[in-house]
Amino acid sequence: MIRWIRQQLGVDPPHQSDTRTVYIANKFPQHGLYTPQRFADNRIISSKYTIWNFVPKNLFEQFRRIANFYFLIIFLVQLMIDTPTSPITSGLPLFFVITVTAIKQGYEDWLRHKADNEVNGAPVFVVRSGSLVQTRSKNIRVGDIVRVAKDETFPADLVLLSSDRAEGTCHITTTSLDGETNLKTHYSVPETAVSQSVSRLESLQAVVECQQPEADLYRFVGRITVTQQGEEIVRPLGPENLLLRGARLKNTKEIFGVAVYTGMESKMALNYKCKSQKRSAVEKSMNTFLIIYLGILLFEAILSTILKYAWQAENKWDEPFYNEKTDQERNSSQILKFISDFLAFLVLYNFIIPISLYVTVELQKFLGSFFIGWDLDLYHEESDQKAQVNTSDLNEELGQVEYVFTDKTGTLTENEMQFRECSINGIKYQEINGKLIPEGMTEDFPDGSAPYLNREEELFLKAVSLCHTVQISYDQTDGLGVSFSHANGFSPQMEYYASSPDEKALVEATKRMGVTFTGSNGENMEIKTFGKAEKYKLLHVLEFDANRRRMSVILQTPSGENVLFIKGAESAILPYTKSGEIDKTRVHVDEFALKGLRTLVVACRHFSADEYKEVDRRLHEARTALQQREERLAEVFNFIEKDLELLGATGVEDKLQDKVQETIEALRLAGIKVWVLTGDKHETAVSVSLSCGHFHRTMNILELIQQKSDNECAEQLRRLDRRIREDHVIQHGLVVDGASLSLALREHEKLFMEVCKNCSAVLCCRMAPLQKAKVVRLLKTSPEKPITLAIGDGANDVSMIQEAHVGIGIMGKEGRQAVRNSDYAFARFKFLAKLLLVHGHFYYIRIATLVQYFFYKNVCFITPQFLYQFFCLFSQQTLYDSVYLTLYNICFTSLPILVYSLFEQLVHPHVLQSKPALYRDISKNSLLSFKTFLYWTLLGFCHAFIFFFGSYILMGEDTTLMGNGQMFGNWTFGTLVFTVMVITVTLKLALETQFWTWMNHFVTWGSIAFYFIFSLFYGGIIWPFLHTQDMYFVFVQLLSSGSAWFAIIIIIITCLFPDVIKKVFCRHLQPTSTQKSQFIEAYQGIGCVDSMCCFSEGQNACSRLVERMMGRCDPARATRSWSDSDTFFSNDRSILTLSPMEVSHC
């Protein structure tokens, strides 16, 4: 505890230096003064609370909400001064809201504690005192040597020391970290790889120096110093030497590793941190409305206080004979009295701010989010993956999207690569029946005979089959080391695993063509060229990175020559080539790209002995550096990867996903603009955009590419802007590349945005991950503040997904990083249409009505209280009983709106999908506009006036409404107003309900019935625990008066009848597209509406269906409110396959 306090004060920071020194097996130096560094223990803590801090911490967090804090202040005011209502009226609702939220958060945290204890208590084996000792995971310390067996997960971040294989390698999967299912090979340094027994590990003298913990899963900088016979040997350590906590050991019997990062300092734990909080437009509108209502509350309280003192200026009202003041009251400060009265009125009117709004909205979002996971239309059967919701706070935002930013590879396409063509030494080749045939030639080799490959072709295929990081899995053995060179030849159970689908497709293609990659053991790579085995010594791997956009390997050939094989994007390789058919290859690459193929260029470089020595020295220095390692490596890689000999290029096809074109068209008809952001080259991206319907063939394609300077870029933007204005009738599409985008965003943001907004579709190619996020931010922060959605499947899409208002991850083949960082996730791009057009529509209309209705019913509730003060000399007498004040929002009116907000559907889901234009009706937060808000507020005031003055007219002059002449009092008057109010606000919601279920009926009529039953019991029995019972027999007496029943019915009709008239006139004179679709649905049945999507005209579709359904559907009635020129029907010309009915069935 003391240490924690010292760390918080900065006196004892946990890490005093930029690096940490880890002594293996905790063998600290014996000579001199050595103070060991202090490290975190190995406990994982994902929980938020402890048993000691739950109450204070949870209360603190809840009272940070302005509404909760406001009601706490009101409650404290009621306790401190003499107020007209009991503190219970504010305290009980507040207690209810706080308790429900605390229980929910406490339960969620208890589940986290349970999961933590399970992880922290897992048994593990560590090497201590020369033997293997079993202990619990939480007891592992930095420096401990840990043993992990096959299929076990790593309990901490370990540096691999040795494995059961002689070369000291192991294979792992990181599915739980990044979702990648491929096997990854990790390595130990040669000096520790030989320590395969506990006794040898105990005698190992070694020190690991590495960076302090950081969250990046793919970055690790360190070095290990091994002391052997008095000599210190230094080896570099990188990500390939680090086994991350949460990863699983595969295809390896056992490994030993030293713990370097433990507990909350492990990379997995550092990635637990919460994403930045996103707030929906509805939540922002809600907060604005709350502030407005707070203003109304303050106005009413100030006005009432002023009027009270104005009234009391007359002596007969200031001090009537029946209520004389005491001396203390006469001598008290006028200012204090004014403040006290103001606070009393504030308490009296405080229910205009709905405290239960927040908890109802949270409940609605939480329960409503289950519908996405339960939707079978969003379930992908092939991969057995259903849609998942990572945050329910943004459900309604799905109904407000104006821009969709999508990745291409793996999002619009399948990310399943098929080798199609290649270019070798300036000649194009195709694969025909597993053989490499020059373009224009046919296969002329008889089956079974070995085709002849010339030197260039063979070198190209060898380069492709060796330049990669593909791993092989053999099902029949534990390890790969044995299988790597087994004498039986190529194993039929051999399966390739690759982090990139491109690499796997290329290695499988070379295997079909006769050059087979048969394995790697970290030191050697083996291939078979038409059955002849060749072993290459693997000297160095220059890993792929997003900046270089290439990767390479340095190998020693069987003849002893050192050679570099390299592959990457043509823009990253062709500028560094000095020989080969460069111009022809460039032409071929462009031709491949126009066909929509993904292209890679392959090259090589031969090293002399002296050149290789220099390369090896520079690489060793850069890799063993603890400071600025990445920069030094980038410099060395550039030194190595130059003066290349061009070998050729490959073209790999990535198939479009199912129904991508229909989905993009549906989004366009819904008024949503689609931008494609991809790292692919210009020609490939344009080809795919055309094939998926993002660009139309009739669209005028504008280009902003290969701009070299700011002036050139600005001039081109002005030309494009002029062209768009001149040809404003034609639809335009814009293509931008990464380099030009950087220039455009530097000084010409406004002009660039103007051009983009006037284009129907935008394609950005050659984009870096951060550029994707910049583009999203640019749109997001533009003056119009549009709602943005980003969708992608890879790690390079994470920044874009986190930047957008709504982020969606595709469960693809590039891991789960996008899914983990997204708000929603599903398996296919086509599911986006239903998520937005159906779920987004439903969520938005539900929560918009919920918010407006809450304010409406609270205005109805508290305005009669305000009006009553004019009739009681502003004496702060309450109109309603305290129990009614407390239960109005909690019991009497809470369930109908909650059920409405979960199940309401303005139109059937099938209609929403077949008519994407309906999405426009709710765009730009239209249901929560100030005009709509004003309507609901004024409606609340009008109804409140009718409640109050309707009851007053009934009882104002003559309160003898009973047959025996008995008079009614103020509690009866208040109960009459309250009864009318509860019934009216409940029936008002019933009028708003379009989609009735048995639950709607149950809670609507049940709430009214519950009010009557409760009131009868509450007022019909003398309750011993109540101090006073003002309501005793009041309700029974009220209901026994025929005049009261008549008044209740008349007042309810007076309130709701104008509303019904307004709805009828609006629907007939100015119907929205949604109301038109309701009309069609009501008169024809949903089957008829479904069928419309199968034909180009809705009327014809109905006519055909009528013939089959024997008159069930009447086209004459259905088409009265429609015309061929109606924009609603003009959108029917697309989305054939989005209907739930197959075309063949239509």
Side-chain angles (χ1 to χ4, degrees):
M1 183 68 183
I2 294 171
R3 185 186 164 200
W4 180 85
I5 293 170
R6 285 166 61 86
Q7 287 179 7
Q8 301 308 306
L9 294 172
V11 178
D12 182 27
H15 308 302
Q16 289 87 356
S17 65
D18 293 333
T19 61
R20 62 168 53 188
T21 304
V22 179
Y23 290 86
I24 293 178
N26 289 308
K27 295 178 181 175
F28 302 117
Q30 301 300 316
H31 57 277
L33 292 173
Y34 173 73
T35 305
Q37 288 177 290
R38 288 193 291 267
F39 305 114
D41 59 30
N42 201 40
R43 284 181 303 162
I44 286 291
I45 303 171
S46 61
S47 55
K48 195 174 183 179
Y49 307 106
T50 67
I51 196 169
W52 307 110
N53 71 8
F54 174 72
V55 173
K57 192 172 181 179
N58 186 265
L59 287 177
F60 173 73
E61 288 178 351
Q62 290 205 58
F63 285 119
R64 287 169 69 183
R65 268 193 167 164
I66 190 165
N68 290 347
F69 184 71
Y70 162 78
F71 272 90
L72 177 65
I73 296 299
I74 294 293
F75 176 64
L76 294 176
V77 167
Q78 285 179 291
L79 290 175
M80 289 187 291
I81 66 171
D82 182 23
T83 55
T85 58
S86 165
I88 294 174
T89 58
S90 293
L92 193 61
L94 179 64
F95 177 76
F96 174 76
V97 169
I98 295 295
T99 304
V100 168
T101 309
I103 290 171
K104 173 180 169 285
Q105 293 179 349
Y107 174 70
E108 290 173 349
D109 204 62
W110 176 76
L111 292 178
R112 286 191 286 265
H113 270 284
K114 192 176 175 184
D116 288 347
N117 292 336
E118 193 175 326
V119 171
N120 295 331
V124 294
F125 287 92
V126 297
V127 177
R128 284 182 185 161
S129 304
S131 62
L132 267 181
V133 178
Q134 184 173 342
T135 184
R136 293 184 182 277
S137 174
K138 63 182 180 182
N139 297 327
I140 294 175
R141 299 168 297 172
V142 170
D144 279 348
I145 298 175
V146 183
R147 172 188 172 274
V148 180
K150 181 184 176 184
D151 291 327
E152 290 181 353
T153 57
F154 301 112
D157 289 353
L158 312 174
V159 166
L160 180 60
L161 295 177
S162 64
S163 71
D164 63 314
R165 306 175 187 193
E167 66 274 11
T169 61
C170 71
H171 293 274
I172 69 167
T173 60
T174 56
T175 311
S176 61
L177 296 173
D178 56 16
E180 295 182 10
T181 55
N182 58 295
L183 291 179
K184 296 183 175 71
T185 306
H186 283 249
Y187 306 91
S188 59
V189 300
E191 287 72 24
T192 64
V194 295
S195 303
Q196 294 176 311
S197 65
V198 173
S199 58
R200 295 196 66 173
L201 285 166
E202 183 65 20
S203 61
L204 181 66
Q205 297 286 332
V207 180
V208 173
E209 294 171 272
C210 59
Q211 63 188 147
Q212 295 292 3
E214 63 171 33
D216 191 342
L217 295 175
Y218 309 104
R219 185 173 184 272
F220 177 68
V221 177
R223 64 185 174 205
I224 184 169
T225 305
V226 183
T227 305
Q228 289 183 345
Q229 300 171 352
E231 181 186 354
E232 291 188 349
I233 302 169
V234 179
R235 297 284 184 185
L237 297 175
E240 69 279 1
N241 306 110
L242 186 68
L243 307 171
L244 298 179
R245 179 175 190 145
R248 189 176 294 272
L249 184 65
K250 304 292 284 186
N251 286 17
T252 311
K253 188 177 178 182
E254 66 174 13
I255 65 98
F256 289 94
V258 59
V260 288
Y261 304 131
T262 51
M264 298 308 293
E265 292 182 341
S266 63
K267 289 183 180 288
M268 182 182 77
L270 292 174
N271 277 275
Y272 282 161
K273 62 173 183 279
C274 299
K275 303 190 290 290
S276 58
Q277 189 68 31
K278 295 181 180 179
R279 292 171 64 222
S280 70
V282 170
E283 189 178 343
K284 293 170 187 172
S285 298
M286 197 166 75
N287 290 338
T288 305
F289 298 159
L290 274 173
I291 292 169
I292 292 171
Y293 270 71
L294 194 59
I296 294 172
L297 170 65
L298 292 172
F299 170 76
E300 288 183 349
I302 292 170
L303 180 64
S304 297
T305 310
I306 293 170
L307 288 175
K308 176 179 180 176
Y309 281 91
W311 221 301
Q312 289 179 354
E314 297 182 48
N315 288 330
K316 65 175 181 177
W317 299 125
D318 184 35
E319 196 173 351
F321 69 90
Y322 56 82
N323 190 20
E324 291 187 2
K325 294 181 180 179
T326 63
D327 290 338
Q328 184 180 355
E329 285 175 330
R330 289 194 187 97
N331 298 327
S332 61
S333 167
Q334 290 296 315
I335 295 174
L336 289 177
K337 280 173 66 179
F338 185 90
I339 293 171
S340 176
D341 284 326
F342 168 73
L343 292 174
F345 280 117
L346 208 61
V347 167
L348 192 65
Y349 305 145
N350 80 83
F351 283 94
I352 198 171
I353 307 291
I355 185 175
S356 53
L357 173 61
Y358 279 116
V359 76
T360 309
V361 166
E362 274 195 14
L363 209 56
Q364 188 269 347
K365 289 183 175 183
F366 174 70
L367 296 175
S369 64
F370 287 106
F371 292 127
I372 292 177
W374 291 338
D375 191 342
L376 291 177
D377 290 340
L378 303 182
Y379 169 72
H380 190 242
E381 195 170 355
E382 293 173 25
S383 58
D384 189 30
Q385 290 171 328
K386 64 178 183 178
Q388 69 183 55
V389 180
N390 296 331
T391 174
S392 59
D393 292 338
L394 302 170
N395 291 344
E396 65 277 8
E397 206 81 327
L398 296 171
Q400 295 297 295
V401 173
E402 296 173 61
Y403 284 87
V404 167
F405 298 91
T406 174
D407 178 40
K408 182 183 75 66
T409 306
T411 305
L412 301 179
T413 62
E414 290 281 6
N415 209 6
E416 286 183 2
M417 309 301 176
Q418 291 289 330
F419 176 83
R420 291 292 178 231
E421 298 182 58
C422 66
S423 169
I424 304 174
N425 199 31
I427 301 171
K428 274 208 290 187
Y429 291 80
Q430 293 177 323
E431 182 189 1
I432 301 178
N433 295 331
K435 298 181 176 65
L436 205 59
I437 309 298
E439 189 179 50
M441 293 179 61
T442 57
E443 181 186 4
D444 53 1
F445 302 107
D447 289 338
S449 65
Y452 169 76
L453 293 179
N454 60 35
R455 177 189 171 278
E456 289 83 6
E457 294 168 349
E458 187 175 325
L459 182 60
F460 175 82
L461 291 179
K462 285 181 179 179
V464 172
S465 63
L466 289 166
C467 183
H468 54 72
T469 55
V470 173
Q471 299 300 323
I472 302 176
S473 174
Y474 294 89
D475 294 335
Q476 74 273 26
T477 60
D478 279 338
L480 296 185
V482 187
S483 304
F484 163 70
S485 56
H486 42 112
N488 296 330
F490 174 62
S491 167
Q493 277 92 10
M494 182 174 72
E495 186 177 356
Y496 293 124
Y497 287 89
S499 54
S500 162
D502 300 73
E503 284 195 336
K504 185 179 179 184
L506 291 173
V507 172
E508 287 175 342
T510 60
K511 173 184 160 188
R512 292 192 297 271
M513 295 169 196
V515 181
T516 305
F517 171 63
T518 55
S520 166
N521 65 356
E523 290 187 1
N524 297 299
M525 298 180 77
E526 186 173 301
I527 60 172
K528 286 187 178 179
T529 309
F530 301 109
K532 179 187 174 186
E534 295 181 27
K535 188 178 289 188
Y536 289 77
K537 186 176 181 182
L538 181 60
L539 302 173
H540 294 285
V541 177
L542 279 58
E543 300 83 1
F544 175 87
D545 65 64
N547 295 323
R548 281 165 52 243
R549 307 191 63 220
R550 57 183 183 259
M551 70 86 60
S552 54
V553 293
I554 301 177
L555 303 165
Q556 188 178 76
T557 65
S559 61
E561 185 184 9
N562 296 323
V563 64
L564 169 99
F565 288 130
I566 182 169
K567 71 169 186 286
E570 92 288 345
S571 60
I573 296 217
L574 291 181
Y576 301 96
T577 54
K578 67 172 186 179
S579 61
E581 297 289 347
I582 298 172
D583 294 333
K584 288 183 180 178
T585 303
R586 184 179 277 113
V587 171
H588 290 165
V589 166
D590 291 341
E591 289 175 2
F592 294 163
L594 286 171
K595 295 177 184 177
L597 303 181
R598 291 166 59 88
T599 59
L600 285 173
V601 172
V602 183
C604 70
R605 179 184 176 185
H606 298 272
F607 294 112
S608 66
D610 291 338
E611 285 175 335
Y612 176 71
K613 279 183 184 177
E614 177 66 12
V615 165
D616 187 54
R617 183 187 65 80
R618 288 196 178 201
L619 275 173
H620 181 75
E621 286 179 359
R623 282 179 167 156
T624 53
L626 285 181
Q627 306 296 329
Q628 298 181 321
R629 180 180 291 186
E630 284 84 358
E631 292 82 353
R632 294 190 185 187
L633 280 174
E635 188 180 323
V636 176
F637 287 174
N638 287 333
F639 170 74
I640 297 169
E641 296 167 336
K642 64 181 183 180
D643 300 335
L644 304 174
E645 177 189 340
L646 183 61
L647 299 178
T650 61
V652 175
E653 182 185 33
D654 189 4
K655 293 187 297 183
L656 275 180
Q657 287 186 18
D658 188 29
K659 295 185 180 178
V660 167
Q661 186 167 357
E662 293 88 340
T663 304
I664 290 177
E665 182 65 16
L667 297 178
R668 184 177 285 120
L669 291 175
I672 299 170
K673 289 189 176 182
V674 180
W675 289 31
V676 176
L677 312 180
T678 178
D680 275 354
K681 71 190 304 290
H682 165 233
E683 292 83 1
T684 306
V686 170
S687 175
V688 173
S689 279
L690 286 166
S691 63
C692 74
H694 179 236
F695 284 165
H696 289 304
R697 298 287 173 186
T698 57
M699 193 179 277
N700 184 21
I701 308 295
L702 308 174
E703 292 186 341
L704 181 68
I705 57 174
Q706 296 177 348
Q707 302 300 304
K708 299 289 190 292
S709 67
D710 281 339
N711 293 335
E712 187 182 339
C713 182
E715 186 57 37
Q716 177 66 1
L717 281 170
R718 290 189 199 98
R719 279 197 295 269
L720 296 178
D721 190 43
R722 280 196 302 272
R723 190 169 170 185
I724 291 170
R725 293 179 191 280
E726 290 165 4
D727 302 335
H728 60 275
V729 180
I730 307 171
Q731 281 192 327
H732 299 279
L734 178 67
V735 184
V736 190
D737 63 11
S740 304
L741 181 72
S742 297
L743 292 172
L745 296 183
R746 193 182 300 168
E747 292 183 9
H748 315 294
E749 269 190 23
K750 192 174 179 182
L751 184 57
F752 176 68
M753 285 307 304
E754 195 65 33
V755 171
C756 289
K757 285 177 184 176
N758 291 322
C759 291
S760 302
V762 178
L763 168 65
C764 300
C765 52
R766 288 299 188 217
M767 296 281 285
L770 285 177
Q771 279 185 312
K772 292 184 179 184
K774 280 183 182 177
V775 170
V776 175
R777 192 182 307 123
L778 188 65
L779 255 297
K780 191 172 141 185
T781 56
S782 63
E784 294 83 6
K785 298 283 189 295
I787 303 299
T788 58
L789 179 148
I791 178 169
D793 72 318
N796 60 330
D797 302 314
V798 169
S799 54
M800 170 176 79
I801 285 171
Q802 290 182 331
E803 183 63 45
H805 291 96
V806 181
I808 295 182
I810 295 287
M811 301 165 181
K813 296 180 173 63
E814 289 195 19
R816 287 291 186 273
Q817 287 194 69
V819 172
R820 285 192 296 117
N821 288 278
S822 66
D823 304 306
Y824 304 89
F826 43 69
R828 285 292 179 269
F829 181 80
K830 65 180 179 180
F831 296 154
L832 182 63
K834 183 165 190 187
L835 186 73
L836 298 185
L837 303 182
V838 179
H839 288 287
H841 192 282
F842 287 161
Y843 285 134
Y844 178 72
I845 59 152
R846 289 166 183 169
I847 202 163
T849 307
L850 182 151
V851 171
Q852 304 277 27
Y853 177 77
F854 249 96
F855 286 113
Y856 155 78
K857 72 185 180 80
N858 278 54
V859 167
C860 289
F861 180 40
I862 219 65
T863 305
Q865 184 88 279
F866 172 68
L867 296 174
Y868 187 57
Q869 297 307 303
F870 286 88
F871 294 85
C872 66
L873 288 182
F874 295 92
S875 60
Q876 298 155 8
Q877 168 64 37
T878 178
L879 178 62
Y880 311 120
D881 182 71
S882 293
V883 172
Y884 285 164
L885 277 170
T886 305
L887 297 184
Y888 176 74
N889 277 318
I890 295 177
C891 296
F892 300 145
T893 59
S894 59
L895 281 181
I897 184 60
L898 178 61
V899 172
Y900 171 94
S901 67
L902 290 174
F903 298 111
E904 175 63 352
Q905 297 179 12
L906 289 186
V907 286
H908 197 279
H910 298 166
V911 181
L912 290 173
Q913 275 192 274
S914 60
K915 302 287 182 188
L918 295 178
Y919 192 83
R920 297 171 187 251
D921 277 4
I922 61 168
S923 62
K924 299 191 182 297
N925 207 11
S926 59
L927 298 188
L928 280 174
S929 64
F930 189 75
K931 181 181 175 183
T932 316
F933 166 72
L934 200 60
Y935 163 74
W936 278 93
T937 302
L938 292 177
L939 186 68
F941 279 115
C942 288
H943 285 184
F945 273 79
I946 295 170
F947 299 155
F948 184 83
F949 288 107
S951 302
Y952 180 76
I953 290 167
L954 175 70
M955 297 178 59
E957 300 299 325
D958 184 8
T959 59
T960 56
L961 298 180
M962 299 291 290
N964 58 6
Q966 188 177 351
M967 299 177 71
F968 283 175
N970 73 303
W971 292 118
T972 311
F973 175 70
T975 304
L976 176 61
V977 173
F978 192 83
T979 303
V980 171
M981 177 173 57
V982 168
I983 298 172
T984 304
V985 297
T986 305
L987 292 181
K988 168 62 182 169
L989 186 63
L991 282 176
E992 295 295 319
T993 304
Q994 179 76 21
F995 185 73
W996 282 89
T997 65
W998 68 267
M999 286 190 72
N1000 291 84
H1001 283 290
F1002 178 75
V1003 298
T1004 300
W1005 315 121
S1007 292
I1008 297 173
F1010 173 75
Y1011 165 69
F1012 277 87
I1013 293 167
F1014 174 84
S1015 297
L1016 287 170
F1017 272 90
Y1018 172 56
I1021 300 172
I1022 296 178
W1023 299 99
F1025 53 82
L1026 294 175
H1027 297 297
T1028 60
Q1029 200 157 342
D1030 298 323
M1031 294 296 293
Y1032 180 67
F1033 223 66
V1034 168
F1035 195 71
V1036 178
Q1037 191 182 45
L1038 177 69
L1039 296 189
S1040 56
S1041 167
S1043 302
W1045 279 106
F1046 179 75
I1048 290 171
I1049 294 168
I1050 290 297
I1051 292 171
I1052 291 170
I1053 291 173
T1054 306
C1055 285
L1056 297 180
F1057 187 69
D1059 203 41
V1060 174
I1061 297 296
K1062 173 193 168 286
K1063 282 181 178 291
V1064 171
F1065 272 95
C1066 286
R1067 290 176 78 89
H1068 280 78
L1069 298 177
Q1070 287 184 320
T1072 62
S1073 298
T1074 303
Q1075 288 166 344
K1076 289 179 183 180
S1077 68
Q1078 288 172 343
F1079 179 84
I1080 290 289
E1081 186 181 335
Y1083 277 93
Q1084 299 171 6
I1086 187 62
C1088 183
V1089 180
D1090 273 350
S1091 69
M1092 289 181 192
C1093 62
C1094 301
F1095 306 98
S1096 60
E1097 294 291 336
Q1099 296 93 328
N1100 295 340
C1102 261
S1103 301
R1104 298 184 195 187
L1105 196 72
V1106 171
E1107 294 171 9
R1108 299 182 190 178
M1109 299 184 66
M1110 301 173 63
R1112 176 187 169 193
C1113 194
D1114 184 358
R1117 295 172 69 191
T1119 55
R1120 282 175 196 157
S1121 61
W1122 302 92
S1123 66
D1124 290 335
S1125 61
D1126 197 312
T1127 54
F1128 183 67
F1129 264 123
S1130 68
N1131 291 323
D1132 276 352
R1133 61 183 181 275
S1134 65
I1135 324 305
L1136 303 186
T1137 52
L1138 276 180
S1139 169
M1141 300 170 64
E1142 293 295 332
V1143 176
S1144 59
H1145 295 160
C1146 290

